Every structure is written in C-alpha cells, then in structure tokens.
Amino acid sequence: METIQIGVRQTVFHKLQKLATPLVDDTSSVIERLIEHWEKNPPGVTASAAAKPVQTERQFWISSRGEALPVDAALRARYFGKTYPAKVTLNGIEYNGKTYNNPSAAAIAVKNTAGTKGDSAATNGWDFWEIYYPQTKQWGPISALRRAKKIDVQALLQELERL
C-alpha cells in the first residue's frame, strides 16, 4: 500500500491518538474512520435541522475522489441524437446492466454502445451525464454536484481541532 506523509499540528495528532484503539489503529485508520463518519453524517447539518423528523436518510455513492451522487438518482446522456439512461447505485453508476466505478467509465460505455471506440470514446463523465432533479422536474449537469459534495479534508482536520 502506497502511503503519503502529511503534517498535522501536535494538537490534532493528540486528538487522533485519543480516538485510536491501542495496538490496532494507526493515524491513517483513525482518519479513515473519521472520513467514513463524515460521509454518513455530512457537515452543515445544524442542531435544529437534526432535531426535525427525517422521513428517510439520503444515501450517497461516494467516488474514490470524494464526490457524491445520491443513490437512486436518474442519469441520462445524450450522444449522437440518442438518450442513454443510467442510475446511481451504492456501488456506482449502473448503465446497460453493468455498474461503473466513475462517471467517465460509464460515459465511455455509452460511447462504445453507440459505436465510438478507442481514444475517440474518451470523455469526462462529469460533463457527459445529467441528473434529474425531482424537486424542479429538470435535468442538470452532474458536474454541479461534484463541486457541491466533494469531501474537504482540510475542513475535516479543522473539525478535529474542535474536538
């Protein structure tokens, strides 16, 4: 496993140590557990909002880069005059019976279906796909969600400082 060395303030390191299980955790596993908690409980939920009854908990598929898309969201792509539907699942983007681990891989699959092969099929999936917004009954680019839902590691470290 490849590791990257990062610097944290001593106060943050001591807080990480307090969260660690002795002889089991290292700094990386504690941070990973905090990120998992953060993903399940996104920041920005106020105490008053948390006190309100919630009908259903919204689940998100989280990409390897930290972008989030809501599970069960309808996606579509328009390519060469045709519309190609897809769906977000807990495991990724489901298109044509297969699940892809990122929007670009799913976009390439659409282009391959349409007959585009090789380098010509390469595309940025975040620009390729649209998502349906039930509240407005409109479609919009998923790239807007990419900016809105990316996990902010710096904010995570700041949150640790407040513990």
Side-chain angles (χ1 to χ4, degrees), residues 12 24 33-35 39 61-62 101 104 115-116 124 130 135 152 157 161:
V12 172
V24 174
R33 200 166 54 244
L34 288 168
I35 290 172
E39 290 171 348
W61 165 71
I62 308 294
N101 64 3
S104 296
T116 305
N124 181 341
E130 293 179 309
Q135 306 87 340
D152 184 349
L157 292 174
E161 291 237 337

Side-chain angles (χ1 to χ4, degrees), residues 75 77 84 86 92-95 98-113 123 125 128-129:
L75 301 179
Y84 298 87
I93 296 174
E94 186 178 292
Y95 164 70
K98 290 186 177 182
T99 302
Y100 299 89
N101 64 3
N102 65 63
S104 296
I108 290 168
V110 167
K111 287 187 170 186
N112 288 335
T113 300
T123 191
F128 189 78
W129 291 101

Side-chain angles (χ1 to χ4, degrees), residues 51-92:
K52 294 178 184 177
V54 178
Q55 292 177 347
T56 58
E57 184 178 322
R58 186 68 169 211
Q59 290 186 316
F60 293 91
W61 165 71
I62 308 294
S63 77
S64 60
R65 293 185 176 172
E67 298 99 358
L69 292 176
V71 170
D72 293 328
L75 301 179
R76 75 174 181 191
R78 294 180 180 173
Y79 188 65
F80 283 148
K82 289 183 76 177
T83 300
Y84 298 87
K87 179 181 172 181
V88 179
T89 70
L90 275 174
N91 297 317

Side-chain angles (χ1 to χ4, degrees), residues 3-162:
T3 62
I4 299 171
Q5 187 173 4
I6 61 170
V8 295
R9 287 184 287 282
Q10 190 173 17
T11 56
V12 172
F13 181 75
H14 289 300
K15 290 175 184 179
L16 288 171
Q17 282 183 315
K18 288 179 185 177
L19 296 172
T21 303
L23 302 175
V24 174
D25 283 327
D26 59 11
T27 305
S28 184
S29 63
V30 174
I31 292 173
E32 185 175 12
R33 200 166 54 244
L34 288 168
I35 290 172
E36 287 172 5
H37 173 76
W38 188 312
E39 290 171 348
K40 291 176 186 171
N41 305 288
V45 177
T46 62
S48 61
K52 294 178 184 177
V54 178
Q55 292 177 347
T56 58
E57 184 178 322
R58 186 68 169 211
Q59 290 186 316
F60 293 91
W61 165 71
I62 308 294
S63 77
S64 60
R65 293 185 176 172
E67 298 99 358
L69 292 176
V71 170
D72 293 328
L75 301 179
R76 75 174 181 191
R78 294 180 180 173
Y79 188 65
F80 283 148
K82 289 183 76 177
T83 300
Y84 298 87
K87 179 181 172 181
V88 179
T89 70
L90 275 174
N91 297 317
I93 296 174
E94 186 178 292
Y95 164 70
N96 205 19
K98 290 186 177 182
T99 302
Y100 299 89
N101 64 3
N102 65 63
S104 296
I108 290 168
V110 167
K111 287 187 170 186
N112 288 335
T113 300
T116 305
K117 304 290 182 200
D119 290 343
S120 298
T123 191
N124 181 341
W126 290 94
D127 295 329
F128 189 78
W129 291 101
E130 293 179 309
I131 190 168
Y132 183 72
Y133 294 97
Q135 306 87 340
T136 62
K137 297 182 170 81
Q138 294 184 4
W139 292 88
I142 65 170
S143 58
L145 293 175
R146 184 182 205 187
R147 290 185 294 275
K149 297 289 182 186
K150 192 154 187 172
I151 295 170
D152 184 349
V153 175
Q154 189 61 35
L156 173 64
L157 292 174
Q158 289 173 353
E159 185 71 24
L160 278 172
E161 291 237 337
R162 287 184 276 194

